[in-house]
């Protein structure tokens, strides 16, 4: 579960270059030379929404996604075959947006942060760009010389929201941003890509629709394309023009297509990407809570009218499709993290910005209390990890020897409805508790309930293994159950099953949240020796 070293990228570059050379020499795909593997949807059984997928300078495929109020922001994934992916970093190192709510100070920033942003590589200056709208009134640009960073905040455009934006770099190196909701705007950027020089509305929602969004821009055979979606209609539109400034004409790409994930929502927002073999794909995501919005893929072909056609299986989005790209496996999404070294792996994200003085990684992670509160949602330094798979199981080894009086720590199923198993200290006594019913108000996102203690039992000071078992399938029972162990081998069920929220309003799916906060005074700490996640499906 730790990030790979940079040598992987070099190996992948050689791998892709060899593939491209073979394609060139053959002229067309040869089924004997290219063995067929399979795309299985979802291509990642985790919450990576609002994807912007493109080909990097090394021939690999990159995916930029949303993660809202979690920090660092804007996760980046990489693949050699569009089927096997790995996280490699984040474009936004910290949610540094000039607002202390991202630090859980004056208030909170739930459902804000990074969403529906865009990322591209610009060959002329060997620079990676990430651009996104923050808080609906300003747009940020981050840049890096490598997708793995370091990334830096390069520009802020105040008073302008590049809403659901798509960055496009034309053949003459001119940079454009397509953005907007309902009324779609085209912005030409300055030569350095850091400020706008021209903006005009280029089209609006087609007749019978409203609030189209999710904008992405492409070019094929000299024609420009904009991909966007109509969420209320569960549909996707593709627009075509001979100029970025129009006129644009649209055509429906799909409407109400059944998800490849049982009980999942129609995939309608996403990206188009062309492979090294000349094939095109629509990479979208299906709304499948409690897990979240999971990436799915389907081939597209091009009609005689130069519009794309989505490839369906029995009029539904296929659960599988053939994949002619050479398979290149990546590190497993499940396994054990012992927090080796002195930094966190890229799969970890904090709930809001962390207080960096209150945690330390050194072949384990020590979480010192950073907040005095009785509210988990307002406690800083809750460390989160996306749940993976249909039946995710998470187990932590927790050393709570150094807790202070009043402290609470544990493992949570973390979202706008939360439950957890944890340890509390009261004087010289320690208790294991199961708490559920912690909730956020779905309008203000302030805490609406601190929850209820379902059960408690005394526990001996020292260490304990805490476990959560979740059914994150959209067609499952959508519950989490907790258990604990004092020896790491035999686990005892604890508390009751808790039904998880499947409403979309907070957008992000469920995560495992590891927390430690004070209710009296700061000074206590706990150490997490390991985190293990398995998919029990």
């Amino acid at each position: 579960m730790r990030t790979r070293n940079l040598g992987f990228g070099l190996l992948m570059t050689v791998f892709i270059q060899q593939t491209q050379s073979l394609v060139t020499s053959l002229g067309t795909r040869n089924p004997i030379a290219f063995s067929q593997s399979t795309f299985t949807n979802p291509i990642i059984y985790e919450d990576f929404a609002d994807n912007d997928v493109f080909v990097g300078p090394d021939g690999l495929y990159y995916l930029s996604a949303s993660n809202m109020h979690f920090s660092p922001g804007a996760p980046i994934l990489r693949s050699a075959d569009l089927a096997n992916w790995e996280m490699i970093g984040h474009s936004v190192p910290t949610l540094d947006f000039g607002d202390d709510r991202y630090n859980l100070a004056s208030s909170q920033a739930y459902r804000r942060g990074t969403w529906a942003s865009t990322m591209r590589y610009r060959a002329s200056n060997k620079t990676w760009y990430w651009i996104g709208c923050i808080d609906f009134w300003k747009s940020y640009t981050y840049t890096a010389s490598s997708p793995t960073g370091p990334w830096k905040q390069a520009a802020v455009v105040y008073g302008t929201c590049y809403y659901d934006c798509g960055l496009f770099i034309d053949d003459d190196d001119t940079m454009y941003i397509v953005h907007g909701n309902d009324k779609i705007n085209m912005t030409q950027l300055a030569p350095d890509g850091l400020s706008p020089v021209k903006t005009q509305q280029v089209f609006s929602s087609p007749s019978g629709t409203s609030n189209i969004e999710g904008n992405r821009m492409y070019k094929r055979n000299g024609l420009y394309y904009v991909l966007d979606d109509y969420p209320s209609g569960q549909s996707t539109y593709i627009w075509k023009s001979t100029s970025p400034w129009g006129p644009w004409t649209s055509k429906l790409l799909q409407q109400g297509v059944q998800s490849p994930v049982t009980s999942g929502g129609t995939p309608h927002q996403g990206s188009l990407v062309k492979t090294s073999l000349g094939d095109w794909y629509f990479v979208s995501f299906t709304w499948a809570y409690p897990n979240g919005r999971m990436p799915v893929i389907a081939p597209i072909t091009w009609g005689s009218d130069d519009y794309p056609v989505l490839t369906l299986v029995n009029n539904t989005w296929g659960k599988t499709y053939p994949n002619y790209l050479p398979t290149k496996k990546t590190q497993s999404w499940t396994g054990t993290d012992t927090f080796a070294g002195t930094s966190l792996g890229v799969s970890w994200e904090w709930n809001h910005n962390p207080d960096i003085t209150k945690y330390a990684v050194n072949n384990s992670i020590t979480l010192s209390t950073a907040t005095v509160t009785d509210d988990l949602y307002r406690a800083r330094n809750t460390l989160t990890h996306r749940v993976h798979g249909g039946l995710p199981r998470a187990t932590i080894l927790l050393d709570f020897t150094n807790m202070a009086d009043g402290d609470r720590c544990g493992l949570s199923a973390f979202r706008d409805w939360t439950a957890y198993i944890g340890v509390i200290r009261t004087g010289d006594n320690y208790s294991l508790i199961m708490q559920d019913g912690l909730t956020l108000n779905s309008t203000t996102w302030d805490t609406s309930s601190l929850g209820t203690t379902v059960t408690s039992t005394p526990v001996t000071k020292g260490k304990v293994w805490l476990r959560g078992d979740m059914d994150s399938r959209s067609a499952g029972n959508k519950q989490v159950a907790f258990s604990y162990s004092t020896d790491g081998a035999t686990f005892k069920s604890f508390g009751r099953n808790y039904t998880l929220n499947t409403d979309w309003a907070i957008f992000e799916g469920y995560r495992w949240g590891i927390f430690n906060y004070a209710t009296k005074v700061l000074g206590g700490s706990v150490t997490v020796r390991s985190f293990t996640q398995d998919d029990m499906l």
Side-chain angles (χ1 to χ4, degrees):
M1 296 175 66
R2 304 289 286 182
T3 183
R4 292 179 181 269
N5 59 38
L6 295 179
F8 176 78
L10 179 60
L11 290 173
M12 287 292 93
T13 300
V14 173
F15 175 77
I16 291 293
Q17 287 173 342
Q18 291 175 341
T19 300
Q20 291 171 333
S21 296
L22 185 55
V23 173
T24 301
S25 66
L26 292 174
T28 58
R29 181 170 62 233
N30 185 332
I32 298 176
F34 292 92
S35 59
Q36 177 183 312
S37 59
T38 301
F39 290 115
T40 300
N41 285 311
I43 50 176
I44 310 169
Y45 211 123
E46 287 192 16
D47 183 41
F48 290 105
D50 302 332
N51 63 71
D52 191 9
V53 181
F54 64 98
V55 182
D58 49 10
L60 302 175
Y61 304 96
Y62 290 84
L63 185 156
S64 178
S66 298
N67 66 340
M68 312 297 284
H69 49 273
F70 293 101
S71 179
I76 307 169
L77 289 76
R78 179 173 61 192
S79 174
D81 57 12
L82 290 174
N84 296 283
W85 293 87
E86 64 170 1
M87 282 190 71
I88 62 169
H90 295 80
S91 296
V92 180
T94 185
L95 307 183
D96 180 18
F97 304 139
D99 189 334
D100 66 5
R101 287 176 289 186
Y102 286 102
N103 299 328
L104 286 174
S106 62
S107 184
Q108 43 71 26
Y110 288 106
R111 212 181 79 147
R112 296 168 61 191
T114 62
W115 46 268
S117 54
T118 185
M119 187 176 80
R120 285 293 184 277
Y121 175 78
R122 191 183 194 188
S124 63
N125 61 358
K126 298 183 172 65
T127 300
W128 297 75
Y129 289 78
W130 177 92
I131 301 176
C133 172
I134 302 296
D135 298 331
F136 297 96
W137 72 278
K138 53 187 174 178
S139 296
Y140 284 77
T141 300
Y142 285 75
T143 58
S145 60
S146 166
T148 56
W151 287 80
K152 67 177 183 179
Q153 191 180 112
V156 187
V157 179
Y158 293 96
T160 296
C161 174
Y162 294 143
Y163 185 102
D164 276 24
C165 58
L167 177 59
F168 173 73
I169 304 172
D170 210 345
D171 302 333
D172 63 1
D173 203 41
T174 302
M175 299 177 73
Y176 298 92
I177 287 275
V178 59
H179 57 97
N181 172 278
D182 197 45
K183 295 178 174 59
I184 306 304
N185 299 304
M186 186 69 64
T187 294
Q188 180 180 329
L189 298 178
D192 62 4
L194 302 180
S195 61
V197 296
K198 176 184 177 182
T199 298
Q200 75 177 48
Q201 182 182 331
V202 289
F203 57 82
S204 58
S205 297
S207 176
T209 72
S210 61
N211 299 315
I212 58 169
E213 57 185 24
N215 311 283
R216 304 293 186 212
M217 186 173 177
Y218 308 95
K219 193 174 186 179
R220 174 183 177 269
N221 296 341
L223 296 174
Y224 297 90
Y225 293 88
V226 169
L227 179 77
D228 54 26
D229 69 294
Y230 170 39
S232 297
Q234 298 291 291
S235 54
T236 310
Y237 284 84
I238 185 79
W239 299 75
K240 182 178 67 174
S241 176
T242 58
S243 165
W245 308 107
W248 292 86
T249 56
S250 68
K251 187 174 182 178
L252 189 67
L253 179 62
Q254 71 78 32
Q255 184 174 32
V257 169
Q258 181 179 314
S259 171
V261 176
T262 303
S263 298
T266 294
H268 54 83
Q269 182 178 336
S271 308
L272 301 182
V273 63
K274 181 183 179 182
T275 73
S276 57
L277 303 181
D279 299 318
W280 285 79
Y281 291 91
F282 181 25
V283 184
S284 184
F285 55 89
T286 184
W287 302 61
Y289 295 108
N291 190 291
R293 296 175 292 168
M294 302 184 293
V296 296
I297 194 169
I300 62 170
T301 56
W302 294 88
S304 58
D305 58 359
D306 284 320
Y307 281 100
V309 178
L310 185 65
T311 303
L312 301 178
V313 178
N314 296 323
N315 293 318
T316 68
W317 194 294
K319 295 182 182 297
T320 63
Y321 289 101
N323 182 3
Y324 297 99
L325 289 168
T327 300
K328 188 64 178 179
K329 294 292 186 181
T330 53
Q331 189 174 4
S332 174
W333 289 91
T334 58
T336 297
D337 191 345
T338 58
F339 305 98
T342 56
S343 61
L344 285 169
V346 295
S347 60
W348 293 100
E349 295 166 357
W350 301 92
N351 175 34
H352 293 62
N353 287 327
D355 180 341
I356 62 174
T357 70
K358 297 298 185 181
Y359 77 92
V361 181
N362 188 4
N363 299 315
S364 61
I365 183 167
T366 297
L367 299 174
S368 300
T369 53
T371 311
V372 178
T373 183
D374 59 357
D375 182 357
L376 174 60
Y377 288 120
R378 295 299 299 273
R380 294 189 75 179
N381 289 26
T382 294
L383 184 61
T384 76
H385 197 290
R386 290 170 181 81
V387 301
H388 181 87
L391 296 176
R393 165 181 286 176
T395 308
I396 64 170
L397 171 52
L398 179 69
D399 185 337
F400 57 94
T401 305
N402 295 319
M403 290 180 76
D405 183 24
D407 288 359
R408 290 187 170 226
C409 63
L411 173 69
S412 63
F414 189 78
R415 198 173 181 253
D416 54 343
W417 292 9
T418 291
Y420 68 77
I421 184 172
V423 177
I424 63 172
R425 178 180 173 180
T426 307
D428 292 329
N429 299 314
Y430 298 82
S431 299
L432 188 71
I433 68 167
M434 188 261 170
Q435 187 100 350
D436 69 16
L438 294 79
T439 59
L440 293 174
N441 181 289
S442 61
T443 301
T444 65
W445 301 108
D446 291 323
T447 302
S448 53
S449 175
L450 299 177
T452 302
T453 299
V454 174
T455 188
S456 66
T457 189
V459 64
T460 303
K461 177 181 178 180
K463 64 182 181 181
V464 66
W465 283 260
L466 303 179
R467 173 173 287 176
D469 280 282
M470 184 184 297
D471 188 338
S472 75
R473 298 171 297 177
S474 51
N477 67 26
K478 308 177 185 69
Q479 294 183 338
V480 64
F482 294 103
S483 58
Y484 73 97
S485 173
T486 56
D487 61 8
T490 303
F491 283 79
K492 182 178 180 180
S493 296
F494 195 65
R496 63 189 178 193
N497 288 13
Y498 179 69
T499 299
L500 305 169
N501 190 17
T502 58
D503 185 81
W504 59 268
I506 202 166
F507 290 110
E508 295 292 294
Y510 268 89
R511 297 180 176 221
W512 300 114
I514 304 171
F515 64 90
N516 181 38
Y517 64 91
T519 65
K520 294 183 177 180
V521 295
L522 301 180
S525 67
V526 299
T527 298
V528 182
R529 304 290 180 188
S530 65
F531 169 88
T532 300
Q533 180 161 225
D534 299 297
D535 182 8
M536 308 307 293
L537 192 61

